[in-house]
Amino acid sequence: MSLNAKQLEAAQFHTGIALVVAVPGSGKTKTMTERIGRLVNDHGVAPENILGLTYTRQAAEQMRERLELVLHGEASRVNLYTIHSFCLRLLKSEGRYFNIVSGSEQMTMVATIMRSLGIKDLAIGGVLQDISLAKSNLISPEEFIDLYGEDQSKQKTAMVFKEYEEQKAIRYLYDFDDLLLQAYRFLAHEGGAEKYHDVYPHILVDEYQDTNPAQLAVLQALIEDTGRGSFWACGDDWQSIYAFNGASIGNILRFKQIFPSAQEIVLNVNYRSTPAILAACQKLIDHNQRKIPKELIAHKPGGNHDLFVIDTFNEEEEACLVANEIKHLSVSDGTAYSDMAVLYRANFQSEILQNVFVRAGIPFYIDNGMSFYERREVRILLDYLRFIEDPDSVAGDEALQRIINAPNRYLGKKFMEQVAGVANEASCSLYQALRTMDFDSPYIRRNVHEFVRLMESFIQNEGEMGPAEVLAKLRQRLDYDRFVTDKDIPSPDNQAVLNLNQLLQSAARYASISEFLTYVATVEDETCSRDPSGVKLMTIHKAKGLEFPVVFVVGLVEGIMPTKRGDLEEERRICFVALSRAMDRLYVTYSHNYLGQPAKRSIFIDEMTGDLAVLDPIKQIPSP
């Protein structure tokens, strides 16, 4: 395996502590794999005594596959885990008895606690996120109370936090944050560290910039800085984009303060991108103040047409121009669709792209296979439209069963079975049966009557309102935004309210519910969103760690990228990650109007540009 001088220095590192700062496309995985191989082959380290920690399970699996080329049959003996799975294994091996609480079970647990405390004005997902962030920063419920003494909403969160921890302890439950905290306590305060110093004298960590304070605490407890073993951390502060998950960029920026004996090795030769693309990346990230200074060096030569800035009127024209350029590259240059990717800041931005790509006949692939119209908050409102359009049809029956408890009206499965029984006997629709039935329970009677009154107000006026107006009124009268965000843990690239806003924008293009639903059905019927050979559509966070010959970064307007509430330096790092996915051609696009409002192009475009070529929108744009 051929390595450059700095890669070789990092791979040959034997004992002590090292920080390997690896820029995008610098071969860090190859270097990390080679180092493990050298520990075993050159220094006689048993594979079982090596612990490699990665950010994701997929990264661990990819690392093991690469190790097969270096260690062959011995690769399976190397310990490769995510840090959470490592902590789980450690605690189980030490005889700890517990079950994991996560997902809907965890959400239900917090919701029950909030009801018992009479807390109704906070979103469950937001409370759970605050608790997780506190724990990832090693903050206890008592410390949380002291920290937010004057903030009433945070004080309520603290009450939930305290009760949540007590109930988990009673029921022998750990959440994912507990795996870190309990492993840290065992290692640092219960005598476990000395044992594991001998078990794992050599520790390697990938994507170190994405670690949080609790993970750092676990690592510090595992490390024995005696020169007998080694701690080898690899990461890039310029690619630290997970602050919303509790990641602390300070862990990598302060590495030499935390570990004074550490050696720093910088891998700054990029084997992925052309010089012009790297120049744009460098110009952008140079505006950040908190960073490890580095110079991006291109290994590959530059092309004649590497960089383009596309200026458009609105997001639909933007999507059309992107589609035209993709068609042109496919037909004229022979570029495979799978070699092209369109990256965006948030999921709601994919709707217009899917719309245009379907019309243009461009196959595309959405990571995780979920198109815009399959998202829960969007899908429920579409079912309301289907029901309102024709409540007594088969489609209306199907839609009714999906919306009757959205939001929750406490009309469960047995209730709908009763309704279905009456409908079968009377040979009528579920809705007709629902309207004629009498219910003994006062709350069921009240909830059914309220639902029918609401639906009738739409059904009777269906021909007089466009789909966007109906959706807007449904959002208001159902208090729908609160419903979809209550159990939604916020993330920067999937915000339910933004998806709903985009749904209204899409619906506004159609005069009737029928026309809009026909369009949606056309998009849903297309199999192109699951075609691995198609153009990749994904958020920037999903694209991290990937590379494509051709990359389009769309929607670079103020308020989207950077977002209004985001930390500017983190937002700039997110943009840097997007640009640095491109190998040969990079397109940066923005529009003068966005979501029906005047928009200003992102400050990041001015920061990254200079000598970039500008592609005028000269190709024919399909009519809307």
Side-chain angles (χ1 to χ4, degrees):
M1 187 179 292
S2 177
L3 303 175
N4 67 33
K6 284 296 182 180
Q7 289 172 335
L8 186 61
E9 181 183 356
Q12 289 179 333
F13 186 84
H14 183 203
T15 58
I17 297 177
L19 172 63
V20 179
V21 184
V23 305
S26 61
K28 71 178 177 68
T29 304
K30 177 175 73 171
T31 305
M32 186 171 176
T33 304
E34 182 69 11
R35 178 170 190 262
I36 293 173
R38 287 174 182 260
L39 285 174
V40 175
N41 297 328
D42 296 352
H43 301 288
V45 177
E48 294 84 358
N49 292 142
I50 299 172
L51 174 63
L53 300 174
T54 63
Y55 189 69
T56 65
R57 188 178 305 166
Q58 183 181 16
E61 292 170 354
Q62 291 174 347
M63 181 73 68
R64 193 173 301 283
E65 288 175 7
R66 295 204 179 195
L67 271 178
E68 289 286 348
L69 302 175
V70 178
L71 293 178
H72 308 294
E74 292 186 312
S76 61
R77 294 165 56 194
V78 177
N79 298 283
L80 294 174
Y81 311 112
T82 66
I83 193 165
H84 285 92
S85 62
F86 165 72
C87 291
L88 173 64
R89 287 169 178 267
L90 182 149
L91 293 168
K92 289 292 187 181
S93 70
E94 293 299 327
R96 293 289 182 94
Y97 174 78
F98 61 90
N99 289 310
I100 297 293
V101 60
S102 64
S104 60
E105 183 184 0
Q106 185 182 27
M107 198 75 74
T108 300
M109 185 176 181
V110 171
T112 302
I113 291 170
M114 291 174 67
R115 281 199 299 271
S116 71
L117 295 173
I119 297 173
K120 300 179 180 179
D121 57 339
L122 298 180
I124 301 166
V127 169
L128 195 53
Q129 184 181 50
D130 281 348
I131 292 172
S132 179
L133 286 173
K135 293 170 74 170
S136 69
N137 281 279
L138 302 173
I139 296 171
S140 68
E142 294 72 26
E143 290 168 328
F144 192 92
I145 293 171
D146 293 339
L147 193 61
Y148 296 104
E150 303 300 320
D151 189 322
Q152 291 299 312
S153 67
K154 295 296 186 185
Q155 285 296 304
K156 293 177 182 178
T157 298
M159 293 166 58
V160 179
F161 187 5
K162 186 172 184 296
E163 183 65 21
Y164 172 66
E165 294 301 305
E166 290 175 356
Q167 288 199 21
K168 284 196 290 95
I170 292 170
R171 295 159 62 180
Y172 296 96
L173 296 174
Y174 287 177
D175 60 27
F176 288 123
D177 296 306
D178 290 325
L179 296 177
L180 301 172
L181 297 177
Q182 295 296 334
Y184 165 65
R185 288 168 188 155
F186 168 74
L187 292 167
H189 303 296
E190 298 173 18
E194 186 173 347
K195 170 183 175 181
Y196 283 92
H197 289 163
D198 292 330
V199 176
Y200 303 119
H202 295 279
I203 301 170
L204 301 89
V205 179
D206 191 16
E207 303 290 1
Y208 183 80
Q209 78 279 351
D210 294 325
T211 57
N212 62 38
Q215 291 168 338
L216 174 60
V218 171
L219 292 172
Q220 285 180 289
L222 280 171
I223 297 163
E224 183 185 28
D225 190 12
T226 62
R228 183 170 67 99
S230 67
F231 174 52
W232 191 94
C234 185
D236 181 15
D237 57 303
W238 293 358
Q239 298 182 76
S240 177
I241 61 171
Y242 287 101
F244 70 94
N245 270 346
S248 172
I249 191 173
N251 286 359
I252 190 168
L253 294 179
R254 297 186 301 107
F255 192 90
K256 296 190 77 171
Q257 294 171 250
I258 299 168
F259 304 104
S261 64
Q263 177 182 343
E264 183 178 282
I265 304 168
V266 178
L267 307 184
N268 64 339
V269 177
N270 176 290
Y271 293 88
R272 174 186 299 161
S273 307
T274 65
I277 293 173
L278 289 185
C281 294
Q282 185 83 56
K283 288 176 184 178
L284 174 71
I285 205 66
D286 279 347
H287 286 80
N288 272 5
Q289 299 299 310
R290 299 182 67 220
K291 63 180 183 294
I292 298 172
K294 302 183 284 291
E295 179 187 359
L296 295 171
I297 297 175
H299 181 265
K300 68 193 296 185
N304 295 324
H305 302 288
D306 299 342
L307 294 155
F308 305 94
V309 174
I310 298 178
D311 172 351
T312 64
F313 175 71
N314 60 20
E315 64 266 41
E316 182 162 11
E317 182 179 280
E318 179 181 38
C320 289
L321 200 146
V322 168
N324 281 330
E325 187 62 14
I326 286 172
K327 280 278 194 181
H328 171 73
L329 291 172
S330 174
V331 174
S332 301
D333 296 355
T335 306
Y337 285 130
S338 59
D339 284 338
M340 295 183 268
V342 184
L343 310 182
Y344 35 83
R345 182 68 177 84
N347 277 312
F348 79 90
Q349 294 171 276
S350 71
E351 187 277 331
I352 189 65
L353 292 163
Q354 294 176 54
N355 177 340
V356 171
F357 281 26
V358 167
R359 285 174 5 209
I362 297 174
F364 59 92
Y365 178 78
I366 298 175
D367 190 56
N368 79 15
M370 184 181 290
S371 75
F372 176 83
Y373 292 104
E374 292 173 318
R375 297 189 177 281
R376 173 177 174 269
E377 63 274 9
V378 172
R379 191 176 66 246
I380 292 171
L381 282 185
L382 290 175
D383 278 327
Y384 268 99
L385 291 184
R386 293 184 181 102
F387 177 75
I388 291 167
E389 183 196 23
D390 195 352
D392 296 324
S393 65
V394 173
D397 281 354
E398 293 174 350
L400 176 61
Q401 294 179 74
R402 292 191 290 265
I403 66 174
I404 193 68
N405 262 325
N408 194 355
R409 299 181 178 93
Y410 303 99
L411 305 175
K413 185 177 179 181
K414 288 186 178 180
F415 168 82
M416 285 308 299
E417 288 174 351
Q418 284 182 297
V419 175
V422 172
N424 287 334
E425 288 183 12
S427 297
C428 66
S429 70
L430 292 178
Y431 185 54
Q432 287 176 332
L434 186 70
R435 286 186 299 172
T436 59
M437 290 174 67
D438 191 24
F439 302 99
D440 295 332
S441 169
Y443 87 85
I444 289 181
R445 189 184 312 120
R446 183 184 66 250
N447 289 350
V448 169
H449 288 169
E450 287 179 357
F451 175 76
V452 170
R453 277 199 304 272
L454 175 64
M455 290 299 96
E456 284 298 310
S457 70
F458 287 108
I459 293 167
Q460 297 301 323
N461 298 289
E462 186 260 332
E464 300 173 11
M465 293 186 290
E469 183 181 358
V470 173
L471 290 170
K473 288 185 176 181
L474 282 170
R475 285 176 71 175
Q476 179 185 15
R477 296 181 65 177
L478 294 171
D479 195 11
Y480 190 75
D481 290 15
R482 179 179 176 84
F483 164 65
V484 297
T485 58
D486 192 33
K487 293 185 178 181
D488 182 48
I489 297 179
S491 70
D493 59 0
N494 187 31
Q495 299 179 42
V497 172
L498 291 179
N499 291 339
L500 296 178
N501 292 343
Q502 183 60 48
L503 178 65
L504 262 68
Q505 287 285 321
S506 178
R509 298 195 291 264
Y510 299 88
S512 69
I513 291 176
S514 177
E515 290 177 6
F516 180 50
L517 290 177
T518 298
Y519 156 70
V520 171
T522 301
V523 175
E524 290 180 330
D525 286 343
E526 293 289 335
T527 58
C528 54
S529 65
R530 294 178 179 83
D531 184 352
S533 65
V535 177
K536 305 301 185 292
L537 303 185
M538 64 182 72
T539 64
I540 297 167
H541 281 88
K542 286 280 188 184
K544 189 169 181 289
L546 304 177
E547 62 182 24
F548 305 94
V550 179
V551 169
F552 295 83
V553 184
V554 302
L556 265 80
V557 296
E558 291 291 318
I560 302 295
M561 190 158 61
T563 59
K564 293 177 181 177
R565 296 188 298 272
D567 172 75
L568 186 60
E569 293 212 346
E570 172 111 347
E571 291 292 312
R572 191 175 284 115
R573 291 193 295 270
I574 292 169
C575 188
F576 172 85
V577 166
L579 303 184
S580 59
R581 301 309 94 194
M583 299 166 68
D584 303 315
R585 294 170 73 101
L586 171 64
Y587 296 81
V588 177
T589 74
Y590 71 98
S591 59
H592 295 283
N593 296 275
Y594 214 87
L595 297 177
Q597 300 293 324
K600 180 183 178 182
R601 77 176 187 175
S602 171
I603 186 177
F604 297 155
I605 292 179
D606 296 325
E607 292 176 354
M608 74 177 75
T609 53
D611 301 329
L612 298 193
V614 177
L615 177 67
D616 293 321
I618 54 175
K619 296 181 176 63
Q620 183 180 357
I621 298 172
S623 58

